[in-house]
Amino acid sequence: MTTTVPKTAPRAPQGRGVSGGEPDLWCTYAAVRTLAWLDRTDSVTDPDGTAAYLSGRRNADGGYAWSRGMLSDAWATFYCTQGLRDMGRPVPGTEDTARWLERTWSGDAYAMLPGQAPDVWATHFSARTAVELCGGPVPDRARLLDWLSGLQCAGGGLSWSPEDARRGKADVRACYYGVMAWRAATGNGAAGAPPWDEEAIVSWLRARQGEEGGFRFAPAAEVPCLWATYRAVGALAALGRAPRDPGGCHDWVMGLRGPSGAFVRWEGYDVEDVWASFCAVGTLRALGAPLAPVADAVTARIAELASPGGGYTYREPGDAADALSTAAAVLSAGPASPRPDEVRWLEGCQLPNEGGVMYMPGRGSEVRCTLWALAAGAFAEDPAARRRIADWLAGLQNADGGFGYWEGRGSDLVSTAAAVETAALLGGPDGLGLDLAGVLSFVESCRIPDGEPFAHGNVPGAGPGLRPALQAQRVRLLLGPELASPAEAREAVDVLLARHRVRGGGHAGEGNRVPDLLSTYEAVLAADRAGLALDTGHVSAFVDRVRGADGTAWSPLAPGGGGPLADSLGTLLARRLATGPGELPALALS
């Protein structure tokens, strides 16, 4: 067997990170689901607060969002509703949720957002939500099974989409999500055999197990980890199969217990986080191993991760830093007050198997977090780390030319703009292996042909908004005159800023009545990029309204103190107004 020497040590970040001070949905779901597997849901800390945290993500359309004010997506909808069900709490308005899910159906499979291209992440989450929560069935089982059949690569593994399968991008996570979507659509397999060459997928999954007992995501992955191991063993179990070496897998998992008796994701990692215990317990359960030997330790560790007021984060709340909040602190301080400990912490969020920066260490690399970290100065003197990011970025590009938040997720404009901005910070976008014509093709697919001039949605078919429209023009400017006309992009920015200008100050994401911080930041950034004169008095009036003693609000109608990200954007805008045009960092969030 050939082993790959890891390029990055699987240790928790050193230095000093900054926490946003709030629970996290991924962590909350992982904590509650792990306790449910252990039959310990009576140990959920502040069950009323946690249930309120989950139900509070519900939008009027019946879907759920990662945080209040964001658009509904399939992943958040699954996590919130599954968490409530695990706690024995009612899930409100499942009829509305079912109708929202129908809007994400592409005709063949499910997308994360209405209008987005379908992928296996979303198809898994929505097929299970449709069947397990809303009573199912899926809209068209035959077409879904046909779409799922197209996920199999020539080597036997499954990929994120049929287009990715043709590119040979197999991954154990895609195998798990594909198999579980098939089971949901067919009554746990009662309505038909898997739509793949079953022996080929089983053989491919078993080959991902190393001699040490753990599994890797794919042949090129650097080290085995618990996330890959859970998804591989879970997929095999759902097919009625076992790993090549079940005993070795069990021993490897148990060898990842830390001092408290809970788990770490990689050998040598320093923190027993919520995801590691989730994956470890899920793996042991899929192996049919007893859970009692780990139940007390894992339950006690999860209790230490509870956030005040409900919900959970990935480690002790006082130490639960994230890349966005940490980068925001560095950027707010500015060059005159460097924060090397925070930059060092950001650099520690580049961990094995994925070259990008993780939102929270121990999770998965995300394109927006990578952009924020680079903008804050991370990896400035580390060519090898920058090369890893460039390689990861090239592999992240989807077949439609765009980018999603993370590997395998469908493309959207905010992620595509973040990817191109990241490439620019790495010295590109030329020369990094990106398909630039494909990028432009995806951006054009988000244009609204029958709308107002230059209108774009975040995904093809979505409604118009200022931020995606300006992100599209920033991408065009970065791609250069050989692919896109700079003069047309500048004209577009000028028209869009006038269309969404709010008389009392600032810019609105929709229409021109209620300004918000993200749209106003994007407006100033796009104006500077296009070389347009900025009405500083108009922007100052908005900044003065949202900045106060309690911090920066996301809009004049929102409560003050929007958190470290809002504070950073407000500080950067105020600095831009004081110093004139310059390199306002591209810090788009949505």
Side-chain angles (χ1 to χ4, degrees), residues 34 37-38 176 213-215 225-235 237 241-243 245-257 261-264 275-299:
T34 304
W37 283 336
L38 297 172
Y176 176 86
F215 285 75
C225 74
L226 268 176
W227 189 12
T229 300
Y230 169 47
R231 293 312 185 194
V233 176
R241 305 299 187 95
D245 180 6
C249 181
H250 177 272
D251 292 346
W252 180 81
V253 170
M254 295 299 286
L256 292 178
R257 300 182 81 186
F263 293 85
V264 298
W275 302 302
S277 285
F278 167 80
C279 292
V281 172
T283 301
L284 295 173
R285 184 171 176 269
L287 288 170
L291 302 182
V294 304
D296 288 346
V298 169
T299 300

Side-chain angles (χ1 to χ4, degrees), residues 179-256:
V179 169
M180 297 305 289
W182 161 70
R183 284 174 58 87
T186 58
N188 290 328
W196 310 288
D197 180 336
E198 188 173 344
E199 294 306 317
I201 187 176
V202 169
S203 176
W204 188 88
L205 282 166
R206 285 174 170 165
R208 305 285 70 78
Q209 186 178 19
E211 294 302 322
E212 73 289 310
F215 285 75
R216 289 165 169 80
F217 288 128
E222 298 162 1
V223 296
C225 74
L226 268 176
W227 189 12
T229 300
Y230 169 47
R231 293 312 185 194
V233 176
L236 287 167
L239 292 169
R241 305 299 187 95
R244 173 182 54 79
D245 180 6
C249 181
H250 177 272
D251 292 346
W252 180 81
V253 170
M254 295 299 286
L256 292 178

